[in-house]
Amino acid sequence: MAANTSISLVNLDFDTLKASLKTYLSNQSLSQDYDFDGSNMSVLLDILSYNTYLNTFYLNKVASDMFMDSAQLRNSVISIAKALNYTPRSAKSSRAIVNLTFAQSNLTTFEIPESTRFTGKNSNGSYTFVTNETLTLYPSNNVFTAANVSIYEGVIAQDTFVYNSSLEGQRFILTNELIDTDSILVGVTEDNGLTPLSYTKSTSLFGLNANSQVYFVQATEDTKYEIVFGDGTFGRRPKNGAIITANYRVTSGNVANKCTSFILDDNLGSYNGYGSAIIPSITVASTSFGGAEAESIEEIRYRAPRNFQTQERAITTEDFRNLVLQNYQYIKTAHVYGGETATGTPQFGKVFIAPATFTGEFLSDAEKEEIESYLSDKCTLGITPVVVNPDYLYLLVDVTCKYDANQTTLSPSDVSTIVKNSITTFNQNELNDFNKEFRFSRFESAINAADTSISSNETKVTLKKIVNVVENTLVTISVQFRNTITPGSFSSSEFISNGRRYSYTDYNPNANTFQVTQTSGNIVVTNTSRVVYLKDVTVPGIQTYQNAGSIDYITGTVSLNQINIFDKVNETGIIFYSKPTSPDVSSSKNDVIVIDLSNINITVKTT
């Protein structure tokens, strides 16, 4: 039979299918006199077209979900990721580090058991934190002290299973979707309770034999996870009838981050045989951090192939970056470079990782140590990972926005809110990443597009750098704007040194070093001496100046003389300001450009 050329295999929508069926039947000698638009024949053609269309749609979706790039269902993405040996990250418990002091002289030892509960508070509410190990303390000076105790947000849950070798494909699916898989502890009890065994988590078959007491964790449908035991060759298989228990934390994710205060919930006095509760003194060494939500479909789609490339080892810079992004959701991106390219003296044998968070905040020392410890197990011998802060270059924006009040019912306050939201979105999508540039024209266009009533805007940009210094110590400060800056615009926040109050500036009205010229209508200011001054502002209304360093306006580098700063006044550090000569701001090396969202100045005017 000749191929039917009247039925289109390209256009598979309902109308095209029906039209092609009509064309095909009308060309048949036995049906040339039929009215295909008549009710009976039209209904039959509708049925055929619907059936063909539904089958086409179904097969298209099935084919689409067979590939990582086009899959839409989470279960499909997880299944494909499983073939790449990638386990999507679960929700993560927030972790805090506290110091505990129990004042008690009548006990010789004091025990803090595993799963001891604390309550932590932040701006979102109260959350339960637990210890993940048992600590035994001994008295010193009539007190029991536990330093740097890690506590994790979440409540302990348990699932119990019975191993049945007669069931083909038996599965051990953990019941809670908000599990932190890092907290799973698996115990197997065999021989009617006579043989308790502890199983440990494994991520590969390397080094396993038939007696290895290990389990694997893999993602399953409905955003849950399941435990998988060995097959008797790679990993020990539990005996028939064995009781399997899985204990784990159920976490609230990232909402429990930044808890700053904690109280003990459990009565450890009674637990240790003392007649009443013993309330400890608790100091917070590190506020809670690291809490995260489970990976989304798009995150799995992006990370699974790159994890397959990395193969759980850190050799190339991309390996380090992929491992950090996979395991720490609060990190947006990371810049990785070898110690041989470090600024100043090369540091061979080190790999520097500069993580940038979504919020633009620096990581705490505890967070840095955790990442370094994690990466150390993935490195080759002789390589030391070092986590450093990115060099944030903040932009202070002053926006004067004009809008037509006749085209909208919005008030000036509403327009201001819309503009601020637009700036926030621009900051998230266009900046806050390495190797990103601030394009002034795109920024102005984003503001103008925030609402149809906005006709124009005038924006001024100031550069801001924060340098943290150790107080009461001689320090030499270097400020790197890495952009050409305008003479006469450099200044700093105030600080106290040797009982006097100072700030830095490159403008000294008493020095004849500034020249003002006008070229093609533009006023140009030059500082012929390129000197930075220490301005004494101790007495209001009286300022004195002394040389304090030098400034390179082309590279944006400021080198300050050694100084002893007794009080930074500003808790975050010494803040330096300057104005760029170009409205476009570029980044290089370890720079991350970010708009200072807490200091946006928006003025709204009607046209």
Side-chain angles (χ1 to χ4, degrees):
M1 181 177 178
N4 177 25
T5 58
S6 62
I7 297 181
S8 173
L9 299 178
V10 178
N11 298 315
L12 298 178
D13 62 280
F14 174 81
D15 292 331
T16 304
L17 286 169
K18 185 175 180 179
S20 63
L21 287 172
K22 287 170 61 178
T23 302
Y24 170 73
L25 291 175
S26 63
N27 290 332
Q28 304 302 306
S29 58
L30 296 177
S31 56
Q32 288 181 350
D33 296 330
Y34 281 86
D35 179 9
F36 295 104
D37 292 322
S39 59
N40 292 336
M41 188 61 73
S42 181
V43 169
L44 291 175
L45 289 175
D46 282 346
I47 293 174
L48 288 171
S49 300
Y50 271 124
N51 182 67
T52 306
Y53 176 74
L54 291 174
N55 279 324
T56 301
F57 180 84
Y58 171 74
L59 293 174
N60 179 65
K61 287 298 182 183
V62 169
S64 174
D65 267 42
M66 293 175 63
F67 301 96
M68 179 69 79
D69 290 341
S70 55
Q72 298 298 312
L73 298 177
R74 183 181 181 88
N75 290 347
S76 300
V77 175
I78 288 174
S79 180
I80 299 168
K82 192 182 300 182
L84 298 175
N85 194 32
Y86 181 79
T87 302
R89 189 194 59 244
S90 68
K92 294 298 181 184
S93 295
S94 185
R95 172 192 172 200
I97 301 176
V98 297
N99 298 319
L100 307 174
T101 301
F102 297 85
Q104 181 51 243
S105 59
N106 297 330
L107 299 173
T108 57
T109 62
F110 192 87
E111 186 173 280
I112 303 176
E114 180 183 343
S115 301
T116 297
R117 295 174 301 170
F118 296 78
T119 294
K121 293 184 178 181
N122 63 11
S123 59
N124 296 321
S126 300
Y127 301 91
T128 298
F129 285 73
V130 295
T131 56
N132 69 338
E133 61 181 348
T134 297
L135 300 175
T136 301
L137 311 179
Y138 298 92
S140 176
N141 298 324
N142 292 327
V143 298
F144 296 95
T145 302
N148 297 325
V149 178
S150 293
I151 56 177
Y152 299 83
E153 185 274 327
V155 295
I156 302 299
Q158 183 183 87
D159 288 329
T160 304
F161 310 92
V162 177
Y163 192 88
N164 189 343
S165 59
S166 64
L167 294 178
E168 184 177 353
Q170 184 182 14
R171 303 177 69 184
F172 307 101
I173 299 176
L174 304 178
T175 56
N176 204 293
E177 298 179 4
L178 299 178
I179 179 177
D180 181 351
T181 54
D182 289 341
S183 67
I184 298 176
L185 297 174
V186 174
V188 177
T189 304
E190 299 176 341
D191 304 323
N192 294 321
L194 298 178
T195 309
L197 303 172
S198 178
Y199 275 59
T200 58
K201 181 180 177 180
S202 179
T203 57
S204 71
L205 299 180
F206 182 76
L208 301 185
N209 57 42
N211 297 317
S212 300
Q213 295 173 192
V214 298
Y215 68 91
F216 304 89
V217 175
Q218 66 183 27
T220 184
E221 59 273 9
D222 302 324
T223 67
K224 295 181 180 179
Y225 290 83
E226 67 176 316
I227 296 171
V228 179
F229 291 98
D231 60 359
T233 301
F234 294 100
R236 184 180 184 277
R237 179 183 295 169
K239 292 182 179 179
N240 187 42
I243 305 298
I244 300 166
T245 57
N247 294 285
Y248 53 83
R249 287 191 304 271
V250 179
T251 177
S252 301
N254 58 9
V255 296
N257 288 337
K258 297 184 180 179
C259 287
T260 56
S261 63
F262 297 87
I263 59 173
L264 176 64
D265 293 337
D266 292 335
N267 186 345
L268 296 186
S270 298
Y271 177 84
N272 284 277
Y274 190 71
S276 60
I278 302 176
I279 300 175
S281 170
I282 302 177
T283 58
V284 180
S286 176
T287 58
S288 59
F289 63 90
E293 303 303 310
E295 275 187 311
S296 66
I297 290 178
E298 293 306 318
E299 288 173 325
I300 299 172
R301 196 194 313 277
Y302 175 82
R303 293 170 181 171
R306 288 158 180 81
N307 178 78
F308 183 73
Q309 173 189 356
T310 301
Q311 294 291 318
E312 286 293 318
R313 83 284 189 265
I315 298 177
T316 68
T317 57
E318 193 65 20
D319 293 339
F320 281 91
R321 183 175 181 274
N322 290 337
L323 288 170
V324 169
L325 296 183
Q326 175 190 344
N327 289 275
Y328 302 94
Q329 191 181 27
Y330 53 88
I331 295 175
K332 179 181 180 181
T333 185
H335 177 55
V336 182
Y337 57 97
E340 70 279 2
T341 64
T343 303
T345 305
Q347 301 184 49
F348 298 101
K350 292 184 179 180
V351 174
F352 291 90
I353 304 97
T357 62
F358 284 94
T359 60
E361 296 179 346
F362 291 133
L363 300 184
S364 66
D365 291 339
E367 289 173 302
K368 293 177 184 177
E369 291 172 3
E370 182 176 292
I371 295 174
E372 290 172 351
S373 176
Y374 169 74
L375 293 175
S376 295
D377 294 335
K378 313 292 183 182
C379 293
T380 56
L381 188 65
I383 298 297
T384 302
V386 180
V387 178
V388 296
N389 290 329
D391 200 358
Y392 281 105
L393 177 58
Y394 296 95
L395 304 182
L396 299 177
V397 294
D398 187 337
V399 179
T400 299
C401 179
K402 297 179 180 180
Y403 83 108
D404 188 348
N406 296 323
Q407 293 186 9
T408 181
T409 58
L410 298 174
S411 66
S413 176
D414 295 332
V415 174
S416 178
T417 300
I418 292 174
V419 171
K420 185 172 184 179
N421 291 339
S422 176
I423 294 174
T424 302
T425 302
F426 183 91
N427 183 64
Q428 179 178 348
N429 296 338
E430 302 290 336
L431 302 174
N432 199 13
D433 201 348
F434 297 98
N435 300 317
K436 292 280 190 177
E437 294 188 0
F438 174 78
R439 294 296 183 184
F440 187 74
S441 60
R442 297 182 65 176
F443 181 74
E444 284 194 318
S445 297
I447 294 176
N448 290 339
D451 191 80
T452 55
S453 63
I454 298 176
S455 57
S456 65
N457 71 87
E458 296 178 4
T459 300
K460 298 178 182 178
V461 177
T462 300
L463 306 180
K464 169 185 170 182
K465 293 295 289 282
I466 302 176
V467 177
N468 199 4
V469 297
V470 179
E471 295 180 345
N472 202 21
T473 303
L474 284 174
V475 293
T476 301
I477 300 175
S478 176
V479 186
Q480 301 286 342
F481 289 103
R482 294 194 182 94
N483 283 270
T484 304
I485 57 179
T486 303
S489 67
F490 177 74
S491 63
S492 79
S493 59
E494 296 180 356
F495 57 90
I496 295 174
S497 177
N498 296 322
R500 307 290 294 181
R501 196 176 188 94
Y502 296 100
S503 67
Y504 286 108
T505 180
D506 70 334
Y507 177 69
N508 181 355
N510 304 320
N512 188 24
T513 59
F514 274 82
Q515 298 177 357
V516 181
T517 59
Q518 188 166 350
T519 304
S520 300
N522 297 321
I523 296 177
V524 179
V525 181
T526 57
N527 181 358
T528 57
S529 68
R530 299 190 176 185
V531 172
V532 174
Y533 300 95
L534 191 63
K535 182 169 70 171
D536 189 331
V537 294
T538 306
V539 180
I542 302 176
Q543 292 90 35
T544 60
Y545 299 83
Q546 56 181 299
N547 290 9
S550 62
I551 183 169
D552 187 330
Y553 294 106
I554 303 301
T555 63
T557 300
V558 182
S559 302
L560 301 176
N561 300 336
Q562 197 174 60
I563 189 172
N564 191 342
I565 296 176
F566 288 86
D567 189 348
K568 295 174 291 189
V569 180
N570 190 304
E571 293 182 359
T572 58
I574 308 297
I575 304 177
F576 296 92
Y577 306 93
S578 69
K579 292 187 181 297
T581 57
S582 169
D584 294 334
V585 179
S586 61
S587 66
S588 61
K589 295 186 177 180
N590 220 24
D591 288 336
V592 175
I593 299 176
V594 60
I595 296 174
D596 189 347
L597 299 176
S598 62
N599 289 295
I600 299 175
N601 185 27
I602 300 174
T603 302
V604 178
K605 296 181 178 180
T606 58
T607 57

